[in-house]
Amino acid sequence: MTDQPVTAAPSRRGRPGYDRQGLLDVAVATFIERGYDATSIATLADRLGLSKSAIYHHFPSKERILGAALDEALDALEAALPPAAPTEDGPAANHPAAHRPAARTDDDGALPGRGSSRRLEQVLREAVHVLVDRLPYVTLLLRVRGNTDTERAALARRRAFDRQVTALIESAQHSGELRTDLDPRVAERLIFGMINSIVEWYRPGGRESAHSLADDVVALALTGLRAP
Amino acid sequence: MTDQPVTAAPSRRGRPGYDRQGLLDVAVATFIERGYDATSIATLADRLGLSKSAIYHHFPSKERILGAALDEALDALEAALPPAAPTEDGPAANHPAAHRPAARTDDDGALPGRGSSRRLEQVLREAVHVLVDRLPYVTLLLRVRGNTDTERAALARRRAFDRQVTALIESAQHSGELRTDLDPRVAERLIFGMINSIVEWYRPGGRESAHSLADDVVALALTGLRAP
């Protein structure tokens, strides 16, 4: 699912060659381990076995490295939204007919939802895959608190994502596919709280695959734990 | 619901008098704001307008302050478990008949679950109330990473809590009240991930009351977002 190059884990023969993505992978891991503020370009150079100028060849500043990392998580999350999702200046989400039918179909007996509910299911499923595929990038995004312009821009993009998912829930409530006794904003926060919490315990290679985890999240969020 | 004294917000006349709980409230707020490691007894003394020895009168060390704060969150969470919940050396949770009927009833048209499912609903509902009532204490608990013996002991208690909730889910799966296609450990993690995420956005006095938030969590976790 990802386009991360194998250079992310450089071999030990001689000085490893890092491309932009490999450098980013190491920077993200270091930001998570030590904290962004406590990590300097010199720290990264030391960790990478590169000169500072070699890093500056790829990124003009530490904040631009952070920005690129947050963009990677946000780009992937936004790609999970339906193609005709509402934009900042468009009311598309409240007009389900404006959406084309979901292009992606699942091979695992997806729930019989349709329209907005079906698109919501796709978004939740994709968001779990993004989280698992880019675990450190999403982890970093979730730690952002808005201390710099770069962080504030990332938080604004994240809020726009949340608004689009909320609009999808609202649309599915209007069409009668989802229950109407839950505030769509609260429902969105609770469901993405559930999804985001996966970064706390998920470890790649564990017994839980991204696919079954996505199934579990969709099942819980849409139909709940109670036996039918 | 809480027994927090009004001295938590001392008046401004002269030097405030702090009892143990008031001191703890300020310490928890400071740990959250600055981080536990970056907070010294001198920091707290300065913040409280007290001498260091006045603090030592209540707590022998900074780590014991942390311990008391984490105990407060954990005591409240554990009190949310059913009275006859399984203990470390007992299999009670797998014998639903060993439980007495839930003593607490809700006045808000609770779901028609019974037995283990009903007890699970009570735990989720109570856990949301604990989180809202003791927001800073639960926030601090969720930030613990196990750097000291005190933190490791808190994490062990939290894991024991999670195991008891997992056993409750498992028991309700055995009795046919909950669906069996979800791993009870994964379901517990996802549901408490959802509950714990509330600390990220909930603000006391906002438009969402603890009661309606608890209803929303129970509705989502047990019956999902899809219209029946």
Side-chain angles (χ1 to χ4, degrees), chain A residues 138-218:
Chain A
V138 177
T139 302
L140 190 65
L141 176 64
L142 294 174
R143 293 197 186 174
V144 158
R145 288 292 171 265
N147 297 327
T148 62
D149 284 344
T150 297
E151 294 191 21
R152 283 185 286 275
L155 288 178
R157 278 181 74 184
R158 177 65 218 220
R159 281 194 300 270
F161 174 88
D162 288 333
R163 278 196 302 274
Q164 294 194 29
V165 179
T166 302
L168 214 46
I169 293 174
E170 212 167 3
S171 169
Q173 287 179 325
H174 286 312
S175 67
E177 292 170 89
L178 296 186
R179 61 197 293 168
T180 55
D181 59 339
L182 286 171
D183 181 317
R185 278 175 292 188
V186 173
E188 198 274 344
R189 281 173 167 169
L190 290 174
I191 291 171
F192 268 88
M194 175 165 76
I195 291 174
N196 293 337
S197 75
I198 294 170
V199 304
E200 300 289 333
W201 58 269
Y202 187 82
R203 293 298 167 265
R207 59 198 205 94
E208 194 74 12
S209 75
H211 193 78
S212 72
L213 197 52
D215 285 346
D216 293 347
V217 164
V218 166

Side-chain angles (χ1 to χ4, degrees), chain B:
Chain B
M1 297 281 290
T2 73
D3 53 3
Q4 291 175 21
V6 289
T7 53
S11 70
R12 290 197 171 270
R13 50 183 158 72
R15 177 160 298 187
Y18 288 97
D19 61 3
R20 191 175 186 278
Q21 185 69 49
L23 194 154
L24 210 47
D25 286 346
V26 174
V28 167
T30 312
F31 290 160
I32 291 171
E33 190 183 314
R34 303 191 180 196
Y36 173 73
D37 290 337
T39 303
S40 65
I41 290 287
T43 312
L44 293 179
D46 190 51
R47 174 77 64 106
L48 289 155
L50 296 175
S51 66
K52 283 164 64 171
S53 66
I55 295 177
Y56 286 126
H57 172 72
H58 288 289
F59 297 98
S61 68
K62 185 176 81 159
E63 194 171 341
R64 291 284 281 275
I65 300 178
L66 178 66
L70 298 177
D71 281 348
E72 183 159 328
L74 288 161
D75 289 348
L77 274 175
E78 288 167 2
L81 290 167
T87 57
E88 288 292 293
D89 51 351
N94 291 320
H95 295 276
H99 293 282
R100 65 173 176 78
R104 289 163 296 197
T105 54
D106 299 303
D107 55 2
D108 60 344
L111 295 159
R114 58 183 207 295
S116 299
S117 166
R118 172 73 189 184
R119 285 189 291 278
L120 175 67
E121 180 186 329
Q122 295 276 17
V123 173
L124 303 186
R125 194 176 292 280
E126 284 295 311
V128 174
H129 280 284
V130 168
L131 184 144
V132 167
D133 288 340
R134 296 163 197 260
L135 194 59
Y137 289 81
V138 177
T139 302
L140 190 65
L141 176 64
L142 294 174
R143 294 196 186 175
V144 158
R145 287 294 171 265
N147 297 325
T148 61
D149 284 345
T150 296
E151 293 191 21
R152 283 185 286 275
L155 288 178
R157 278 181 73 183
R158 177 66 216 217
R159 281 194 299 271
F161 174 88
D162 287 333
R163 278 197 301 273
Q164 294 193 30
V165 179
T166 302
L168 214 46
I169 293 173
E170 212 167 3
S171 169
Q173 287 180 325
H174 286 312
S175 67
E177 293 169 89
L178 296 187
R179 62 199 292 168
T180 55
D181 59 337
L182 286 170
D183 181 315
R185 278 174 293 188
V186 173
E188 198 274 343
R189 281 174 167 168
L190 290 174
I191 291 171
F192 268 88
M194 174 166 76
I195 292 174
N196 294 336
S197 74
I198 293 170
V199 304
E200 301 288 334
W201 58 270
Y202 187 83
R203 294 297 167 265
R207 60 199 204 95
E208 193 73 12
S209 75
H211 193 78
S212 74
L213 197 52
D215 285 346
D216 293 347
V217 164
V218 167
L220 255 181
L222 293 185
T223 51
L225 201 54
R226 198 179 293 277

Side-chain angles (χ1 to χ4, degrees), chain A:
Chain A
M1 296 280 290
T2 73
D3 54 2
Q4 291 175 21
V6 290
T7 53
S11 71
R12 291 197 171 272
R13 49 182 162 73
R15 177 160 296 187
Y18 289 96
D19 61 3
R20 192 174 186 278
Q21 185 69 50
L23 195 155
L24 210 48
D25 286 347
V26 174
V28 167
T30 311
F31 291 160
I32 290 171
E33 190 183 313
R34 303 192 179 195
Y36 174 72
D37 290 337
T39 303
S40 65
I41 290 286
T43 311
L44 293 179
D46 189 51
R47 175 76 64 105
L48 289 155
L50 295 175
S51 65
K52 283 163 66 172
S53 67
I55 295 177
Y56 286 125
H57 172 72
H58 290 288
F59 298 98
S61 67
K62 186 177 80 159
E63 193 170 340
R64 291 285 280 276
I65 299 178
L66 178 66
L70 298 176
D71 281 348
E72 183 159 329
L74 288 161
D75 289 348
L77 274 175
E78 289 167 1
L81 290 167
T87 57
E88 288 292 293
D89 51 351
N94 292 320
H95 297 276
H99 293 282
R100 65 171 174 80
R104 288 163 297 199
T105 53
D106 298 305
D107 55 1
D108 60 343
L111 295 157
R114 57 184 209 294
S116 299
S117 166
R118 171 74 189 182
R119 284 189 292 277
L120 175 67
E121 179 186 330
Q122 295 275 19
V123 173
L124 303 186
R125 195 176 291 282
E126 283 295 311
V128 174
H129 280 284
V130 168
L131 183 143
V132 167
D133 288 340
R134 295 161 197 261
L135 195 58
Y137 289 80
V138 177
T139 302
L140 190 65
L141 176 64
L142 294 174
R143 293 197 186 174
V144 158
R145 288 292 171 265
N147 297 327
T148 62
D149 284 344
T150 297
E151 294 191 21
R152 283 185 286 275
L155 288 178
R157 278 181 74 184
R158 177 65 218 220
R159 281 194 300 270
F161 174 88
D162 288 333
R163 278 196 302 274
Q164 294 194 29
V165 179
T166 302
L168 214 46
I169 293 174
E170 212 167 3
S171 169
Q173 287 179 325
H174 286 312
S175 67
E177 292 170 89
L178 296 186
R179 61 197 293 168
T180 55
D181 59 339
L182 286 171
D183 181 317
R185 278 175 292 188
V186 173
E188 198 274 344
R189 281 173 167 169
L190 290 174
I191 291 171
F192 268 88
M194 175 165 76
I195 291 174
N196 293 337
S197 75
I198 294 170
V199 304
E200 300 289 333
W201 58 269
Y202 187 82
R203 293 298 167 265
R207 59 198 205 94
E208 194 74 12
S209 75
H211 193 78
S212 72
L213 197 52
D215 285 346
D216 293 347
V217 164
V218 166
L220 255 180
L222 293 185
T223 51
L225 201 54
R226 198 179 295 278

